[in-house]
Amino acid sequence: MASSSVHETCVNTLRFLAADAVEEAGSGHPGMPLGAAPMAYVLWDRFLKHNPNSPDWPNRDRFVLSAGHGSALLYALLHLYGYDLPREALKNFRQLHSKTPGHPEYGHTPGVETTSGPLGQGFANGVGMALAERYLADTFNTDAHPLVDHYTYGIVSDGDLMEGLSAEAGALAGHLGLGKLIYLYDQNCISIEGETDLAFTERVASRFDAQGWHVQHVENGNDLGDIEVAIEAAQEATERPSLICVRTHIGYGSPQQDTADVHGSPLGEEDLAATKERLDWPTEPRFHVPEDAYEHCRRTLRTGPEQQAAWEETVDAYREAHPDACRLFLRAMDGEVPEYEADHVPTFQPEDGPIATRNASGETLQELAANICTLVGGSADLAPSNKTHLEGYGTFQADRTGRSPETTSSFQSGRNIHFGVREHGMGAVTNGIALHGGLLPFDATFFAFSDYMRPALRLSALMGLHRVTVFTHDSIALGEDGPTHQPVEHLMAMRAIPGYTVLRPADANETAAAWRFAVEHDGPVGLVLTRQDLPILGPHRIPDDAIERGAYVLEDPDRTPDVILVATGSEVHLARNAAAALSDESVATRVVSMPSMERFEEQSKSYRHDVLPPDAPTVAVEAGVTRGWHHLVGDDGAVLGLDRFGLSGPGEEVYEELGFTVDRVTDAVHDVLEGTAPPTAS
């Protein structure tokens, strides 16, 4: 057992590595690391199962710093415990191209499990990680082979718990009884504007207790023994997630302790020196690490590989006993989609239609589920409308039949997740499932509610996560629910997220191809689907690479086109009907289907010009805002769109009332050909 002086030395090493990094950078958040270092140290030193030499080994414990503004503390931990993060990286905190950015970034710094920053996101990501752990354990483990057996830990802040996202994700975690989820709450009672009771006076412990969490209090955030006892008790609460409320002092030891001033600004030379003197720490040099701190903490360089080696022995035994299951598990944890074959999607014939693309998606999803054992997901209480229920695959659910919330020993690890009416939480929890690895997750809602999911979807793109969202009810054509539910600006808003792929298929076969792309694509994908029925394009009309390319020529005249109609989704059929009418007038018309504007814009100039020749008059047709189309149609083209909100009424009538008719399209074409068209025909 190490002496108490070594523990104190390690805690202060963490504190001042973080404070020095912030001071060196001239920006950052020193207050949280100074106050939260003791709890972080106890967790990492006495509980966290990890291997700095192999940060991604599958059975490691996950650690989420949801309070991402305290990133300097995480970097200090990673450095002190032997990750590939040298002291020089701490000296380059917040500098261009450094490994220590202002908020933790997944895939950028070894040992960082998620991109945290927007408060509450990390909290919800951890719920997804714990959900994935439980699902994979129930799916693959045997009594003799605990292949998946780890915890998800996190440090959360007052700000995290103010965000409504934490309430959504916390309620789901409590309902599901995720007993291997343990959060330390850095309860310092200070936010940027001052004391938290300016705006935050709820009884947090009561909230989490009501949500089914195991809740404890540690009154002294510097008492390492009390923190250790609390974490041990949390581990024993196997049927409930745990929140440990630790009363800390922001900026501990500094002249600015317990004030908002220390939240988001360096201490300053004088106050930093005063803090070091008060805590009996050398004022110089900066980034001082005593040898006994290195010696003590870097025991993990020995114990981590030992833990991983023991797990690998379990894998070897599992492989011998269950070779097929082991192969599936290892492939899945390597990021593959096991058992998937590209032809395992349905093919639709014109005589099968018309069919809404949401229904075609449902049929495709069911086929994929039969061939991808790691495909899991659900909807924000809209599965019957989104067509995302996986028939025959059960529900991921704690069995509460005849039980109190404290006793949920039975569990059902089906593949359908009921997220409840929690779009924001659903998006961030799904990110956590993807981050954990081993599963291909999907979620679903109405497209208008993508606004509720946008922060999580933005982060999924920033992290490059493999996850899919099904957005149904994609336009004004959904009808009677009216403008509150009719997306107008959403297509362009989602397309604006770098790295996020939006697919709006025109029919059932494009939908099946879109799902194939989503399964094979490395990044996040959103499928934007209709409520109303659409005719089925013959499968021979759709090239194999149509989704990958983003756009393709669906119909071409037998001579050089006089005009090009480019459309997405349901408007492709409107463009086809308009082309037929124009043909009767001897206007040769090419019809281009563009399921993905972003994918098309990534193609070579030659391909883009083959599909949309820059000298050809072009009219774009889409039931959404026109902004974003003009660079594709050019100065001499036009956009028939909708720069207003929709109307309540039967979908076909709304569609017609707002100008999505053959006559309106042909009029726009004539105006373009005559050189009199306005750039926007909304």
Side-chain angles (χ1 to χ4, degrees), residues 50-349:
H50 61 124
N51 181 3
N53 291 324
S54 182
D56 299 327
W57 73 285
N59 203 41
R60 69 193 182 280
D61 289 337
R62 271 59 169 179
F63 173 72
V64 174
L65 182 69
S66 189
H69 56 275
S71 60
L73 174 60
L74 177 55
Y75 302 144
L77 287 161
L78 293 167
H79 170 73
L80 197 56
Y81 281 88
Y83 284 77
D84 184 18
L85 196 69
R87 197 162 5 182
E88 195 63 31
L90 274 64
K91 295 178 181 179
N92 287 327
F93 179 55
R94 287 183 161 231
Q95 304 309 299
L96 191 63
H97 304 309
S98 78
K99 289 293 184 182
T100 51
H103 289 80
E105 296 179 20
Y106 172 74
H108 185 74
T109 308
V112 170
E113 298 282 7
T114 185
T115 297
S116 57
L119 290 172
Q121 290 289 331
F123 182 108
N125 293 163
V127 173
M129 293 174 189
L131 191 159
E133 191 275 343
R134 181 63 189 255
Y135 178 88
L136 289 167
D138 285 0
T139 301
F140 289 101
N141 286 3
T142 68
D143 290 341
H145 308 103
L147 201 63
V148 183
D149 182 17
H150 63 78
Y151 287 90
T152 299
Y153 298 102
I155 292 180
V156 304
S157 65
D158 291 299
D160 287 298
L161 302 191
M162 289 187 210
E163 289 283 0
L165 173 57
S166 66
E168 292 186 18
L172 182 63
H175 171 75
L176 293 174
L178 299 177
K180 288 193 172 181
L181 178 66
I182 298 174
Y183 283 159
L184 294 159
Y185 169 24
D186 177 29
Q187 194 172 18
N188 62 45
C189 302
I190 296 292
S191 61
I192 291 174
E193 293 183 352
E195 295 183 2
T196 53
D197 63 9
L198 288 168
F200 188 54
T201 52
E202 69 181 70
R203 295 186 297 276
V204 170
S206 298
R207 183 224 295 184
F208 279 86
D209 179 68
Q211 290 181 338
W213 287 57
H214 176 257
V215 181
Q216 301 175 79
H217 296 268
V218 173
E219 296 301 330
N220 180 0
N222 291 308
D223 192 319
L224 307 186
D226 283 356
I227 295 168
E228 181 175 11
V229 169
I231 296 174
E232 289 173 344
Q235 290 182 330
E236 293 171 3
T238 57
E239 296 169 358
R240 288 183 287 168
S242 287
L243 183 75
I244 304 171
C245 304
V246 185
R247 183 63 174 95
T248 61
H249 295 276
I250 193 170
Y252 179 77
S254 75
Q256 302 171 39
Q257 178 177 316
D258 295 326
T259 71
D261 295 337
V262 75
H263 172 84
S265 299
L267 290 169
E269 294 286 352
E270 290 185 10
D271 281 0
L272 178 57
T275 307
K276 290 180 176 180
E277 289 172 359
R278 181 177 175 185
L279 297 180
D280 194 24
W281 196 256
T283 56
E284 293 293 340
R286 283 186 183 171
F287 302 97
H288 171 60
V289 180
E291 283 304 315
D292 55 347
Y294 274 139
E295 182 179 351
H296 178 76
C297 293
R298 292 195 172 177
R299 293 170 301 142
T300 309
L301 293 173
R302 181 188 74 253
T303 60
E306 289 172 353
Q307 291 171 323
Q308 183 171 349
W311 177 77
E312 288 171 349
E313 290 179 3
T314 300
V315 173
D316 289 341
Y318 187 80
R319 181 184 291 109
E320 185 172 344
H322 307 282
D324 291 340
C326 188
R327 177 177 55 84
L328 288 174
F329 172 78
L330 293 176
R331 287 183 62 192
M333 292 306 299
D334 280 342
E336 297 182 39
V337 181
E339 304 299 277
Y340 168 70
E341 295 181 16
D343 60 354
H344 280 151
V345 295
T347 300
F348 300 87
Q349 301 299 330

Side-chain angles (χ1 to χ4, degrees), residues 11 44 50 82 170 199 229 275 326 393 398 418 442 452 510 584 592 639:
V11 169
W44 278 59
H50 61 124
V229 169
T275 307
C326 188
Y393 291 101
H418 293 279
F442 67 89
Y452 284 2
E510 277 196 16
D584 291 342
V592 171
V639 184

Side-chain angles (χ1 to χ4, degrees), residues 78 129 178 251 285 289 332 350 359 407 421 523 545 589 593:
L78 293 167
M129 293 174 189
L178 299 177
V289 180
N359 291 357
T407 56
V421 188
D545 61 354
T589 306
S593 176

Side-chain angles (χ1 to χ4, degrees), residues 39-51:
M39 72 170 84
Y41 170 72
V42 172
L43 176 61
W44 278 59
D45 198 66
R46 306 182 194 178
F47 294 96
L48 197 69
K49 179 174 63 178
H50 61 124
N51 181 3

